[in-house]
Amino acid sequence: MKRRWLIWGLLAALAVGAFVGTNAFLNSPTYALYQIGRAIHNRDPGLFITYVDIDRIYHTQRGTMVDMVLAGKKHRDTRRTVKGILTAMAPQLLTQLRRRVILWVADPQRDNIPSSWTLVAAAHIKRRDNFALVVLSNPAKHQRLRLGMQRREGKPWRVVEVDPRDLKRLLAGRLGL
């Protein structure tokens, strides 16, 4: 009889542990990275946009990117003008940016990552409350991509910021800037 209760107690403890562990994983930045990797691997732009806040990235990065591209005192007036244009045209630019991201994610000719777990394997995550710093490393190319993630009440973790230096490097490689 004692043995039977011990077995039931052990099974209950395992069930509770599995539930708590699964819940912790499903509410973590690691799971969000897995979903982003899954979206890229499966070419699913809807899932990608669920976990990457393109609007917020644009709004937090536009001024910094302009400052980096047009550095120096001689470009001060140009920087101010460009920032004003980017602010005034934000809705149109965001529509185009979203469209380009959707096309890139869905592109069947795009180089693909080997697995949905690739981003998770390449990530180093430092979490503090509802914020996380994620560093994705590519040791073969000696490159990294630093991302800021945030979780809001009742919402999944989302990428809300990309380090401007890393973004500039990525854009330089893609757009020849």
Side-chain angles (χ1 to χ4, degrees):
M1 187 71 150
K2 279 188 174 183
R3 186 173 178 198
R4 186 179 214 164
W5 283 108
L6 181 63
I7 291 172
W8 281 110
L10 183 60
L11 287 174
L14 286 173
V16 169
F19 175 78
V20 170
T22 301
N23 189 44
F25 176 70
L26 293 176
N27 290 305
S28 71
T30 304
Y31 181 71
L33 286 175
Y34 166 76
Q35 292 291 24
I36 293 168
R38 184 171 160 227
I40 293 169
H41 183 75
N42 295 338
R43 294 177 167 83
D44 182 350
L47 183 60
F48 185 85
I49 289 176
T50 299
Y51 290 93
V52 179
D53 190 343
I54 294 169
D55 293 21
R56 189 148 166 214
I57 292 170
Y58 173 79
H59 287 296
T60 60
Q61 304 302 113
R62 68 178 176 217
T64 306
M65 290 303 295
V66 170
D67 291 341
M68 289 177 75
V69 172
L70 297 171
K73 290 182 180 181
K74 65 180 181 177
H75 296 293
R76 184 177 49 223
D77 292 336
T78 306
R79 274 196 310 274
R80 187 177 18 244
T81 302
V82 170
K83 287 178 184 179
I85 291 169
L86 291 176
T87 300
M89 295 187 65
Q92 296 87 350
L93 292 171
L94 277 167
T95 300
Q96 288 299 316
L97 182 60
R98 273 188 236 104
R99 185 176 299 142
R100 297 289 293 176
V101 168
I102 288 168
L103 289 172
W104 177 80
V105 172
D107 183 4
Q109 304 301 316
R110 167 183 56 75
D111 289 340
N112 207 353
I113 60 175
S115 161
S116 304
W117 291 99
T118 303
L119 291 181
V120 174
H124 177 74
I125 302 169
K126 289 184 182 177
R127 181 177 169 183
R128 178 183 246 171
D129 298 323
N130 289 332
F131 296 94
L133 171 64
V134 178
V135 180
L136 299 170
S137 298
N138 182 348
K141 293 185 179 182
H142 303 290
Q143 293 179 342
R144 68 181 176 185
L145 178 62
R146 293 162 288 193
L147 307 170
M149 295 182 81
Q150 183 178 19
R151 181 166 191 247
R152 295 194 178 178
E153 191 65 37
K155 305 275 183 170
W157 282 90
R158 297 185 82 191
V159 175
V160 295
E161 188 174 338
V162 179
D163 187 285
R165 295 164 294 191
D166 299 337
L167 188 59
K168 182 180 178 183
R169 180 184 39 78
L170 286 171
L171 291 175
R174 293 282 179 189
L175 304 176
L177 295 175

